[in-house]
C-alpha cells in the first residue's frame, strides 16, 4: 500500500490553499445600511425602492439583485447609483437564474463605499380575502451572502389603516416595527448573511380599491391569525434559544453524574491483600491491563509481543548496540511459525512490526513485508505513519474488549443510556439550529483558527511529544484549510446558541469516547478477575521475599515476565530469574535474552514503545418563510 508522506502532503495542500484563502480574505463586502420603501397604490400594486450601501474590501466590477418568482410579478426594474450630483442611472441587464429574475449592472469600486438604488413595481403581492387584505413580504432576502449592519424599511398605504390591523415580523431577529396611521416602519440590526427578514400585515378592506392583487375567496382574518398563532407556538420559543445550550449542559452534566453513580465503576476493594502465585486465567495481556487499570496502553502491546515470542511466533535475539558514544541495546526480531493460532489483533501486531519499506518517487512510500527486522528499524519504518501503532493498538484492543461481551467483564447499561441521551439531544438540536435565526458569521474566524493551528503544529514541542494529540491537530488543520478553500462564495453563518449546544454535545461525546469505561461497571466475573490479577501483581512485586518457594519452570517465568511487563514491574522478575538461574543451557526462548542483559526489560520496552509511538505527526434563518419578495444578490 502506498502512502503520501504526511508532512509533504501538508505543505503541498498548504501551498495550494493559502492563495485561495488569501484571495477570499482580501475581497469581501457588507451593507452598513439598507433602506427599503414600499408605496402601496389604491389598486394594490407596490412601488418599491431599495437604497443599498455597499462597503467593499477589494476590487469589484459588478453587482446583481435576484428577484424570486412567484404568484406576483415585477415590472420596470431600474438601477441607479447615488452620487453627490444625484441619481445616475446604470444599465441593468436582466436574465433568469434558476427560479430568479436577475438584474445585473457594472461599475468600478475598490476599498470604498458605494450606494445603489433599485426601483421596481410589484403586482399581485397583496392577497385580497373577503374580509381583509394580507401583505406578506420579505423586506430582506436570504440569498444575500453579506451581512447588514442596519436595515430600515417603510410601507406607505394610501389611507390610514384601522386600529384592528395586525403586524408580524419573522424571524426573531433584533428587529421591531411601528404602525402609525398609514405608515408601517421597520428597523433591524445586524442581519447575518443568508438570513431573511419578512413582515406580514393584515388590514381592513377599506384601505384599498383593488385591481392589482391576488384574490382568494373566503374569510382571511381567522386564517391569517391562525397561521400566525401557529408560527408563534412553533417559532416564538426560538427567541429564547440562548437557554438551549444551558439546558443541554446541565442535562448532560447531571446525567453523567447520575449514570456514573448508579451504573459506573465503583472503587474496588481488594480482599485482604490476596496474593496469587499461579497465572489465574488465560486472558490476553491487553485484557489484563484493562481489567487492572481500565486502560489499554503500549505496556500491553509490548507484553503481547513477548507473549507471541513465548508462544513461538517470533524470536528475539540480541543485536549490535546502536550509537557511537552512548551505546543503546538493540534486538533482532525474526518471525517464526508459532505453536498456536493467532487472534486478529495479534496478527495485526505482527504484520505491523514485520514490514520494511521502499520509496517510490519523492512523495510516496510502499510497505514491504519482511521476516526479520531490528527493533531500532521499526520506528524508522513507521515514522511516516499518520497514526502511530500505539494509537491503532489501543483503539483495536479497546474495541475488542468493548465488543467481546462473551467474557462478561463489563456491564454497559450506563454507557448505552448516556449515548441515547446524546443522540436525543443531537436530534433536537439540529432542527432547532435550522429554524433559529442566524447571528454569527464564522467566516472571519477561519483565518485566525488556521493560523493558530499552524503555529501550534510548528512551535509547541508538547504536541510533538504526544503523537495522538499532534495527529488530531494535524488533521484538524488540514480540515480547516480545506474548509476555507471551498468556502469561497459561501457564507458560514450559524446561530450561536445552537452552535454552542452542538459543541457541548460533541464535547461530552469526546469525553465519553476518551474515558471509554467510566460509565461501565465490572460484572461479577470481571470483579473476580480483577482480584486475581491484582493478586498476581502483588506477588510479583514481593516475590523476592519468597525465594525458597518460587517455581523453577522456565515456561512459568516467561509468562511471569509477560504479565510483569503489563504491570510495569518486569525488572524485578528479570532479576529474580537471573538470581535463581532458571534458564536452562542452550535455551533459545526470549528468557535467555532477558537474563543475559540486566537492562533487557527497560531497553526492550522503551525501544518498542518509541517505535510504536513513531509517526509523522509526532514531530438558516427560521420563522415564517411564506412571504414573497426578498431574494438577494451579490457582487464580484
Amino acid at each position: 500500500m502506498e502512502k503520501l508522506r504526511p508532512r509533504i502532503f501538508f505543505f503541498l495542500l498548504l501551498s495550494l490553499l493559502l492563495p485561495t484563502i488569501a484571495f477570499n480574505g482580501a475581497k469581501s463586502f457588507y451593507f452598513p445600511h439598507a433602506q427599503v420603501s414600499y408605496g402601496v397604490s389604491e389598486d394594490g400594486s407596490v412601488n418599491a425602492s431599495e437604497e443599498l450601501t455597499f462597503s467593499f474590501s477589494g476590487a469589484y466590477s459588478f453587482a446583481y439583485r435576484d428577484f424570486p418568482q412567484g404568484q406576483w410579478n415585477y415590472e420596470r426594474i431600474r438601477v441607479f447609483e447615488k452620487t453627490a450630483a444625484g441619481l445616475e442611472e446604470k444599465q441593468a441587464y436582466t436574465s433568469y437564474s434558476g427560479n430568479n429574475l436577475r438584474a445585473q449592472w457594472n461599475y468600478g469600486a475598490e476599498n470604498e463605499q458605494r450606494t445603489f438604488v433599485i426601483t421596481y413595481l410589484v403586482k399581485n403581492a397583496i392577497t385580497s380575502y373577503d374580509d381583509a387584505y394580507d401583505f406578506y413580504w420579505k423586506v430582506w432576502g436570504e440569498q444575500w451572502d453579506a451581512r447588514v449592519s442596519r436595515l430600515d424599511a417603510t410601507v406607505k398605504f394610501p389611507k390610514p389603516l384601522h386600529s384592528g390591523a395586525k403586524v408580524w415580523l419573522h424571524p426573531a431577529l433584533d428587529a421591531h416595527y411601528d404602525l402609525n396611521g398609514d405608515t408601517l416602519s421597520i428597523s433591524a440590526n445586524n442581519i447575518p448573511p443568508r438570513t431573511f427578514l419578512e413582515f406580514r400585515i393584515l388590514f381592513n378592506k377599506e384601505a384599498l380599491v383593488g385591481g392589482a392583487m391576488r384574490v382568494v375567496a373566503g374569510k382571511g382574518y381567522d386564517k391569517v391569525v391562525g397561521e400566525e398563532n401557529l408560527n408563534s407556538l412553533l417559532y416564538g420559543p426560538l427567541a429564547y434559544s440562548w437557554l438551549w445550550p444551558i439546558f443541554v449542559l446541565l442535562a448532560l452534566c447531571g446525567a453523567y453524574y447520575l449514570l456514573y453513580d448508579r451504573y459506573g465503576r465503583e472503587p474496588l476493594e481488594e480482599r485482604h491483600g490476596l496474593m496469587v502465585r499461579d497465572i489465574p486465567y488465560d486472558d490476553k495481556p491487553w485484557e489484563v491491563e484493562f481489567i487492572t487499570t481500565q486502560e489499554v496502553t503500549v505496556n500491553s502491546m509490548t507484553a503481547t509481543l513477548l507473549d507471541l515470542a513465548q508462544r513461538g511466533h517470533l524470536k528475539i535475539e540480541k543485536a549490535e548496540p546502536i550509537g557511537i558514544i552512548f551505546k543503546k541495546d538493540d534486538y533482532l526480531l525474526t518471525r517464526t511459525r508459532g505453536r498456536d493460532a493467532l487472534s486478529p489483533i495479534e496478527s495485526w501486531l505482527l504484520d505491523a512490526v514485520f514490514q520494511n519499506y521502499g520509496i517510490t518517487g519523492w512523495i510516496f512510500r510502499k510497505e514491504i513485508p519482511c521476516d526479520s527486522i531490528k527493533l531500532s528499524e521499526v520506528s524508522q519504518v513507521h515514522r511516516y505513519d499518520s497514526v502511530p501503532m500505539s494509537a491503532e493498538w489501543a483503539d483495536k484492543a479497546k474495541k475488542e474488549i468493548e465488543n467481546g461481551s462473551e467474557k462478561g467483564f463489563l456491564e454497559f447499561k450506563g454507557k448505552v443510556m448516556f449515548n441515547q441521551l446524546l443522540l436525543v439531544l443531537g436530534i433536537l438540536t439540529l432542527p432547532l439550529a435550522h429554524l433559529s435565526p442566524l447571528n454569527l458569521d464564522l467566516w472571519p474566524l477561519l483565518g485566525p483558527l488556521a493560523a493558530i493551528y499552524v503555529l501550534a503544529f510548528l512551535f509547541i514541542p508538547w504536541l510533538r511529544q504526544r503523537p495522538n494529540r499532534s495527529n488530531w491537530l494535524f488533521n484538524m488543520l488540514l480540515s480547516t484549510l480545506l474548509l476555507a478553500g471551498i468556502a469561497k462564495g459561501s457564507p458560514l453563518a450559524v446561530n450561536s446558541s445552537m452552535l454552542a449546544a452542538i459543541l457541548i454535545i460533541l464535547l461530552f461525546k469526546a469525553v465519553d469516547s476518551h474515558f471509554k469505561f467510566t460509565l461501565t461497571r465490572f460484572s461479577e466475573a470481571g470483579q473476580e478477575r480483577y482480584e486475581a490479577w491484582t493478586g498476581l501483581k502483588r506477588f510479583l512485586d514481593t516475590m523476592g521475599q519468597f525465594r525458597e518457594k518460587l517455581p523453577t519452570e522456565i515456561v512459568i517465568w516467561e509468562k511471569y515476565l509477560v504479565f510483569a511487563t503489563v504491570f510495569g514491574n518486569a525488572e524485578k522478575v528479570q532479576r529474580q530469574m537471573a538470581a535463581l538461574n532458571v534458564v536452562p543451557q542452550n535455551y533459545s526462548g526470549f528468557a535467555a535474552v532477558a537474563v543475559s542483559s540486566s537492562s533487557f526489560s527497560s531497553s526492550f520496552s522503551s525501544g518498542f514503545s518509541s517505535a510504536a509511538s513513531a509517526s509523522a505527526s509526532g514531530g438558516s434563518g427560521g420563522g415564517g418563510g411564506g412571504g414573497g419578495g426578498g431574494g438577494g444578490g451579490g457582487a464580484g
Side-chain angles (χ1 to χ4, degrees), residues 270-271 274-293 307 407 409 522 525-541 559-560 562-564 566-567 569:
E270 302 169 7
R271 293 186 296 189
L274 177 68
M275 193 170 294
V276 177
R277 296 170 183 261
D278 299 322
I279 307 299
Y281 298 100
D282 60 351
D283 296 327
K284 300 294 186 181
W286 63 88
E287 294 174 333
V288 174
E289 185 178 32
F290 162 69
I291 290 170
T292 53
T293 67
D307 182 50
K407 290 186 178 291
F409 292 156
F522 276 121
Q527 177 81 11
E528 291 177 358
R529 273 175 157 76
Y530 171 83
E531 293 169 349
W533 285 113
T534 53
L536 178 65
K537 179 181 184 299
R538 190 176 298 105
F539 168 70
L540 297 178
D541 282 337
K559 290 184 177 179
Y560 278 168
V562 168
F563 292 108
V566 175
F567 300 140
N569 56 7

Side-chain angles (χ1 to χ4, degrees), residues 44-217:
S45 61
V46 180
N47 287 286
S49 174
E50 300 177 0
E51 184 176 308
L52 308 179
T53 300
F54 291 74
S55 181
F56 296 109
S57 176
Y60 284 81
S61 59
F62 70 90
Y64 60 88
R65 166 74 160 92
D66 285 339
F67 297 87
Q69 300 296 291
Q71 295 174 301
W72 52 90
N73 57 284
Y74 304 94
E75 297 179 5
R76 302 201 298 267
I77 299 175
R78 301 174 70 186
V79 178
F80 303 86
E81 182 172 3
K82 191 174 183 179
T83 67
L87 294 181
E88 177 184 317
E89 186 165 6
K90 298 286 184 179
Q91 185 173 1
Y93 304 93
T94 57
S95 61
Y96 285 94
S97 175
N99 293 324
N100 300 319
L101 175 63
R102 172 169 294 184
Q104 181 171 317
W105 64 98
N106 299 323
Y107 58 91
E110 183 174 1
N111 300 323
E112 60 183 302
Q113 288 191 1
R114 302 284 284 272
T115 300
F116 300 98
V117 179
I118 306 168
T119 63
Y120 51 92
L121 176 69
V122 189
K123 293 183 179 180
N124 298 328
I126 298 176
T127 302
S128 174
Y129 293 100
D130 293 346
D131 57 346
Y133 291 120
D134 178 20
F135 191 9
Y136 195 2
W137 200 251
K138 286 180 179 175
V139 68
W140 190 257
E142 68 272 25
Q143 292 170 302
W144 283 109
D145 289 342
R147 64 182 176 88
V148 186
S149 294
R150 180 173 177 84
L151 181 142
D152 293 298
T154 58
V155 184
K156 181 79 171 177
F157 294 93
K159 298 177 182 178
L161 304 185
H162 289 178
S163 58
K166 294 183 177 295
V167 180
W168 298 270
L169 296 182
H170 310 129
L173 299 173
D174 181 9
H176 62 274
Y177 72 89
D178 177 55
L179 179 60
N180 186 9
D182 61 355
T183 303
L184 171 66
S185 301
I186 301 170
S187 61
N189 298 309
N190 301 316
I191 301 178
R194 295 284 181 179
T195 303
F196 68 82
L197 176 65
E198 63 186 4
F199 66 86
R200 189 174 198 176
I201 179 167
L202 184 66
F203 56 100
N204 53 290
K205 293 286 287 186
E206 294 80 10
L208 304 176
V209 176
M213 58 183 68
R214 298 193 304 273
V215 178
V216 177

